[in-house]
Amino acid sequence: MNKVQQYSSLTEVADFFSAISKDYVSFYDNQSFLGQYFSQRLAIVYRHLRQVLESQPNPKLLDLGCGPGMLFDYLHRQDHHNWEFWGTDIAEGMIRECTQKFGHLDNAHFAVGQVQNPEFPDQSFDAVICLGVLEYLEPEAAEVAIAQMNRVLKPNGVLILSLTSNHSLYGWNKNLISKIKRLVSQLKGRAYQPNVGDGRRFEEHKVRRLLLDQSLDEVETEYFGLNLLFPWVDNKFPKLSTQLYGWCDRLFERRLRWPYSAMVIKAKKSE
Ligand SMILES: C[S@@+](CC[C@H](N)C(=O)[O-])C[C@H]1O[C@@H](n2cnc3c(N)ncnc32)[C@H](O)[C@@H]1O
């Protein structure tokens, strides 16, 4: 019987993201499906963060799994400059990118670190942000990570997560593709090796339950990222894919959930 590996190890994840750290910025290029996905997400995240930035004299923000600092870059281009920002990531390459680009700025602090073990004192941050990271953790580790985010949040602080959705066209496509790959591996008598970059997907009600169990409340979810086509079509025909993205987004106006590949979930820590 073949060994079925369900999740990638932390070292595999760190090596995978270190290897793509220099190219990662190009994924935010607006001419691609992924670029539109990311800019839609940044706009939603910023809307939540504005409340923190405008209500605190010197807010402290923590971005766990910060990648090459795209959120820092976005915030830095906005009006507010009263904030201080900490970013951590398991991939050394990502932190190297952040330090090279933003290390000279007084309000920027970057360090290698794991999302399930943020090395900060309790109640240090006004906002904790974690975008597209829990996908690469085993379910138990993701629960630990959420508990840790809550620990480092100040009372009244805001937690913002971005997660890919399992109940979506994208999720169904991805699930179908991995089932086919698993079957082909089995037929060939090979061990199934998941693709590190694929990550896993989440169900909104389960994440909400986790947050409420941590006494995080005022939970709000916003779906985004319309990708109706199979991933290889998006990569092969980016123009078609981005045009469809725009049309469908206008058509659905985010009233339905299943067409969207991901969600931003915001929650507040009670006093
Ligand atoms: C898809 S990228 C997202 C980067 C960034 N948050 C963004 O949205 O642009 C996932 C990031 O999570 C980091 N990561 C994955 N597992 C992690 C872990 N256990 N602890 C810390 N960072 C992790 C990866 O190294 C990578 O930089």
Side-chain angles (χ1 to χ4, degrees), residues 116-243:
Q116 58 279 46
N117 184 24
E119 294 182 22
F120 299 97
D122 296 358
Q123 305 191 357
S124 323
F125 294 97
D126 298 283
V128 174
I129 308 111
C130 185
L131 310 178
V133 180
L134 297 182
E135 282 83 345
Y136 307 100
L137 269 68
E138 294 189 16
E140 297 73 24
E143 285 184 33
V144 170
I146 290 178
Q148 286 292 319
M149 293 175 203
N150 190 28
R151 178 184 69 74
V152 298
L153 256 187
K154 290 181 190 173
N156 267 328
V158 168
L159 172 65
I160 303 173
L161 301 173
S162 162
L163 301 164
T164 40
S165 164
N166 202 32
H167 292 313
S168 61
L169 279 175
Y170 171 81
W172 298 328
N173 285 346
K174 285 280 198 183
N175 289 342
L176 179 67
I177 290 168
S178 52
K179 270 192 191 135
I180 293 171
K181 282 187 182 164
R182 198 169 289 214
L183 187 69
V184 171
S185 303
Q186 275 178 342
L187 290 174
K188 288 184 173 170
R190 293 202 197 123
Y192 174 69
Q193 192 78 22
N195 184 347
V196 180
D198 280 351
R200 62 191 186 91
R201 288 161 294 280
F202 291 80
E203 284 159 60
E204 183 192 342
H205 69 278
K206 291 191 182 161
V207 183
R208 277 182 169 259
R209 172 78 1 248
L210 277 178
L211 297 174
L212 294 171
D213 287 350
Q214 291 285 328
S215 305
L216 288 153
D217 52 25
E218 295 185 31
V219 182
E220 286 172 31
T221 308
E222 196 164 330
Y223 281 77
F224 71 98
L226 243 167
N227 122 279
L228 296 178
L229 305 173
F230 279 85
W232 71 264
V233 184
D234 292 324
N235 297 334
K236 269 231 151 44
F237 305 102
K239 266 207 172 135
L240 170 70
S241 184
T242 45
Q243 259 178 7

Side-chain angles (χ1 to χ4, degrees), residues 9-10 13-18 20-21 24 27-28 37-38 41-42 63-71 88-95 111-117 129-138 141 145 162 197:
S9 71
L10 290 180
V13 172
D15 289 347
F16 174 84
F17 282 104
S18 264
I20 61 167
S21 58
Y24 197 87
F27 302 162
Y28 275 71
Y37 170 98
F38 282 134
R41 184 174 74 176
L42 279 172
D63 185 8
L64 293 165
C66 61
M70 304 308 287
L71 177 63
T88 65
D89 199 287
I90 199 173
E92 283 181 25
M94 292 293 193
I95 294 304
V112 173
Q114 289 186 16
V115 64
Q116 58 279 46
N117 184 24
I129 308 111
C130 185
L131 310 178
V133 180
L134 297 182
E135 282 83 345
Y136 307 100
L137 269 68
E138 294 189 16
S162 162

Side-chain angles (χ1 to χ4, degrees), residues 18 21-22 91-101 112:
S18 264
S21 58
K22 285 206 181 302
E92 283 181 25
M94 292 293 193
I95 294 304
R96 212 175 302 123
E97 289 294 305
C98 294
T99 315
Q100 274 169 11
K101 281 183 285 184
V112 173

